[in-house]
């Protein structure tokens, strides 16, 4: 059976699109990862497990160059031409034969034999006593290999010759070589690249107007909780508006995912089961928030164990301790119907964002066929002491700024509670406190991960 998106139904957990190379179930696989401890799983171990299960989609689409922005390149782009196609001048000036520099120790005198503009080459030939007036981008005239910038020359009164100091430049100066930007036959861009503005321009410079990209990853998500209200509904006592679906939607959009919002699902086994199965039927990945912490964990656990292969982890991480990860199927039992990778994120709004960026993001990129780049981390001096317990990775919210000497400083935002979403809005970075780090003194350096580029 083939779904609309080209996913393959699986008869057993180890076959099909997301077949794993080593093990049958996630549980078996997880236990073989170094540092595996479901009760205090280090972030790096969780990332390593998730990475192994993130099989890329294979379907390819051909899109017009402008539609390729943010998409994942499906194959290497080999340059069909040299860019630039000819040697050309890097300056406004005069092109000549470099050997002319050796004819005099003081000044070089050359007569002007003609002119070349960008798009209007000089067709003739010259000797070492001559030069050609050239503008930036003009093809280098035959035999010429050097350009003297016009600022360095003295033009004769009748504008027929130039003079400049012989020591002012070396042979070969101010010439751009054919193929210097992109050489014909070489890979200009590699498969797995997430296309940026410069890449669109680069492909245009090669004359390429369409490219093959991987199909977009389809990600379904829903929130769980009887206390949640959707926008537009009245807020009765004890209820809260569902914010996670909005942060998840926005984070997914920034990663160029195809999103499917399945709304709020009540804390009822039958409703949850129906939502999970329909999500698996129509998406590659299913994200939920809430219901994986201690109070409700057993309930969700039981449900997922009947038709999923899901591990419930307690990550050595703050915020974001409870996380469920595995696979679910659209059928009635594990392995029946269409598979989807599953992330059961915590309910607290900050924990949702932190686990998304630190655990889910890379998996989504890998499944999209992208080659994820390590996120840049800066060192910054903390403006205040930070309490931190060794044995877990903390992602505190901070405001980073650079002083007049180029030194980065960071101040933690007020509340670090995982329910305080305003701390994310106020912050411009995560302060990343490593697994083994303990309290940080004022002035001590810490790692920071800027939201720009991430969020
Ligand atoms: P849970 O993990 O389901 O126990 O939820 C933990 C906390 O996060 C509770 O205070 C929930 O009310 C809150 N929460 C759960 N889901 C959402 C949501 N979608 N939007 C806002 N808050 C939520
Ligand atoms: Mg809940």
């Amino acid at each position: 059976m083939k779904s609309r998106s080209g996913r393959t139904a699986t008869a057993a957990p180890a076959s099909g699109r997301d077949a794993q190379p080593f093990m049958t179930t996630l549980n078996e696989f997880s236990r073989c990862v170094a540092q595996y401890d479901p009760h205090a799983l280090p972030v790096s171990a969780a990332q390593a497990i998730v990475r192994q299960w993130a099989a890329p989609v294979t379907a390819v689409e051909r899109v017009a160059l402008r539609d390729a922005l943010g998409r994942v390149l499906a194959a290497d782009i080999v340059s069909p031409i040299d860019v630039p196609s000819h040697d050309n001048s890097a300056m406004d000036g005069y092109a000549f034969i470099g050997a002319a520099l050796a004819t005099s120790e003081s000044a070089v005198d050359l007569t002007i034999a003609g002119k070349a503009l960008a798009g209007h080459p000089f067709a003739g030939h010259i000797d070492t006593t001559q030069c050609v007036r050239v503008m930036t981008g003009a093809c280098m005239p035959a035999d010429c290999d050097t350009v003297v910038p016009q600022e360095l020359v003295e033009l004769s009164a009748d504008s027929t010759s130039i003079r400049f100091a012989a020591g002012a430049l070396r042979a070969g100066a101010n010439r751009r070589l054919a193929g210097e930007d992109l050489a014909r036959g070489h890979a200009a861009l590699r498969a797995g690249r997430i296309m940026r503005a410069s890449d669109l321009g680069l492909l245009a410079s090669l004359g390429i107007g369409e490219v093959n990209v991987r199909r977009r990853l389809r990600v379904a998500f829903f929130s769980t909780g009887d206390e949640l209200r959707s926008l537009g509904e009245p807020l009765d006592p004890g209820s809260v508006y569902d914010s996670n679906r909005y942060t998840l939607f926005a984070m997914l959009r920034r990663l160029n995912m195809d999103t499917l919002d399945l709304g709020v699902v009540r804390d009822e086994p039958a409703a949850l089961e129906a939502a999970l199965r329909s999500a698996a039927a129509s998406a590659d990945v299913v994200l939920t928030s809430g219901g994986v912490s201690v109070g409700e964990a057993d309930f969700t656990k039981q449900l997922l164990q009947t038709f999923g292969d899901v591990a419930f982890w307690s990550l050595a991480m703050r915020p974001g301790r409870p996380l469920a990860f595995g696979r679910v199927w659209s059928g009635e039992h594990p392995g029946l119907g269409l598979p989807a990778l599953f992330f059961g994120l915590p309910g607290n709004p900050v924990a949702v964002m932190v686990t998304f960026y630190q655990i889910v993001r890379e998996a989504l990129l890998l499944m999209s066929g992208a080659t994820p780049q390590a996120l840049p981390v800066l060192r910054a001096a903390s403006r205040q002491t930070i309490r931190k317990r060794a044995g877990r990775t903390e992602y505190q919210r901070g405001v980073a700024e650079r002083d007049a000497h180029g030194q980065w400083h960071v101040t933690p935002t007020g509340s670090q509670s995982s329910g305080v979403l305003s701390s994310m809005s106020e912050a411009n970075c995560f302060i990343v406190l490593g697994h083994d780090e303990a309290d940080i003194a004022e002035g001590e350096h810490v790692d920071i991960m800027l939201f720009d580029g991430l969020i």
Side-chain angles (χ1 to χ4, degrees):
M1 180 178 121
K2 275 269 179 187
S3 77
R4 188 176 56 74
S5 58
R7 295 186 309 137
T8 311
T10 54
S15 65
R17 172 175 64 75
D18 50 356
Q20 292 310 308
F22 324 108
M23 296 291 168
T24 313
T25 70
L26 174 76
N27 278 322
E28 284 172 288
F29 178 80
S30 305
R31 277 187 250 115
C32 296
V33 169
Q35 301 177 289
Y36 184 71
D37 174 356
H39 305 295
L41 191 66
V43 172
S44 54
Q47 288 167 332
I49 295 170
V50 169
R51 214 171 278 143
Q52 289 298 316
W53 288 72
V57 296
T58 50
V60 169
E61 294 168 9
R62 193 156 181 83
V63 297
L65 191 52
R66 285 193 173 123
D67 296 326
L69 185 64
R71 302 294 298 271
V72 178
L73 208 55
D76 289 356
I77 300 277
V78 176
S79 180
I81 54 171
D82 278 331
V83 178
S85 54
H86 296 90
D87 291 2
N88 67 85
S89 175
M91 304 287 275
D92 291 337
Y94 299 86
F96 62 99
I97 298 164
L101 293 168
T103 59
S104 163
E105 283 189 0
S106 52
V108 181
D109 290 290
L110 301 172
T111 54
I112 303 171
K115 187 161 74 171
L117 306 179
H120 301 277
F122 171 78
H125 285 269
I126 61 166
D127 60 38
T128 52
T129 68
Q130 295 174 303
C131 65
V132 176
R133 174 83 171 124
V134 288
M135 297 299 158
T136 306
C139 274
M140 286 296 276
D143 315 316
C144 294
D145 58 8
T146 310
V147 173
V148 56
Q150 62 190 30
E151 297 79 13
L152 299 184
V153 310
E154 204 180 298
L155 189 61
S156 64
D158 61 0
S159 299
T160 57
S161 63
I162 58 167
R163 161 174 289 206
F164 58 93
L169 69 167
R170 295 210 181 126
N174 303 313
R175 172 183 52 161
R176 296 179 189 145
L177 296 172
E180 159 182 300
D181 189 352
L182 298 166
R184 177 183 186 161
H186 284 75
L189 293 176
R190 295 279 181 197
R193 184 167 181 89
I194 300 173
M195 298 284 284
R196 307 191 308 210
S198 55
D199 302 330
L200 265 57
L202 195 144
L203 293 190
S205 78
L206 298 177
I208 294 174
E210 286 185 349
V211 280
N212 287 341
V213 295
R214 302 269 185 141
R215 78 161 166 86
R216 274 204 178 91
L217 200 66
R218 191 127 212 254
V219 184
F221 56 95
F222 61 83
S223 298
T224 67
D226 287 347
E227 78 284 24
L228 301 179
R229 298 291 174 272
S230 292
L231 300 187
E233 290 178 0
L235 206 58
D236 41 315
S239 60
V240 294
Y241 281 123
D242 174 7
S243 59
N244 290 342
R245 261 161 61 227
Y246 291 85
T247 39
L248 280 172
F249 164 82
M251 294 187 292
L252 290 166
R253 267 300 163 88
R254 291 294 294 260
L255 291 181
N256 227 335
M257 300 291 138
D258 193 1
T259 56
L260 181 63
D261 182 342
L262 296 177
V264 174
V265 175
R266 302 279 153 230
D267 287 321
E268 287 164 20
L272 265 175
E273 180 179 337
L276 279 167
R277 280 169 51 182
S278 88
S282 46
D284 303 293
V285 181
V286 180
L287 302 181
T288 64
S289 72
V292 288
S293 54
V294 190
E296 287 144 304
D298 291 339
F299 161 63
T300 314
K301 229 181 217 169
Q302 270 173 12
L303 177 71
L304 281 164
Q305 274 160 357
T306 63
F307 68 105
D309 171 23
V310 177
F312 283 78
W313 291 337
S314 186
L315 299 179
M317 168 173 175
R318 193 182 131 113
R321 197 162 55 85
L323 186 95
F325 170 66
R327 294 180 298 176
V328 290
W329 282 266
S330 61
E332 283 166 31
H333 298 289
L336 280 185
L338 290 161
L341 211 64
F342 170 76
F343 291 90
L345 307 181
N348 275 310
V350 180
V352 165
M353 296 195 76
V354 170
T355 47
F356 182 91
Y357 282 120
Q358 305 306 332
I359 310 285
V360 181
R361 176 185 175 276
E362 191 187 14
L364 296 183
L365 292 176
L366 285 168
M367 290 183 76
S368 304
T371 312
Q373 307 289 312
L375 290 167
V377 168
L378 300 178
R379 297 287 284 169
S382 179
R383 291 237 187 249
Q384 58 192 57
T385 55
I386 303 176
R387 295 190 62 75
K388 156 77 171 57
R389 209 176 73 199
R392 68 186 184 199
T393 308
E394 290 194 16
Y395 297 91
Q396 299 209 1
R397 276 71 67 210
V399 178
E401 95 279 0
R402 213 163 83 114
D403 68 18
H405 309 289
Q407 162 74 54
W408 284 92
H409 298 269
V410 68
T411 313
T413 59
S415 171
Q416 293 294 331
S417 157
S418 63
V420 178
L421 194 53
S422 58
S423 72
M424 280 297 295
S425 288
E426 193 188 322
N428 64 3
C429 67
F430 284 127
I431 302 171
V432 185
L433 303 171
H435 190 86
D436 298 321
E437 273 182 286
D439 287 350
I440 303 295
E442 184 183 335
E444 205 176 316
H445 280 77
V446 289
D447 283 346
I448 60 168
M449 205 178 256
L450 293 175
F451 287 169
D452 259 344
L454 178 71
I455 294 182

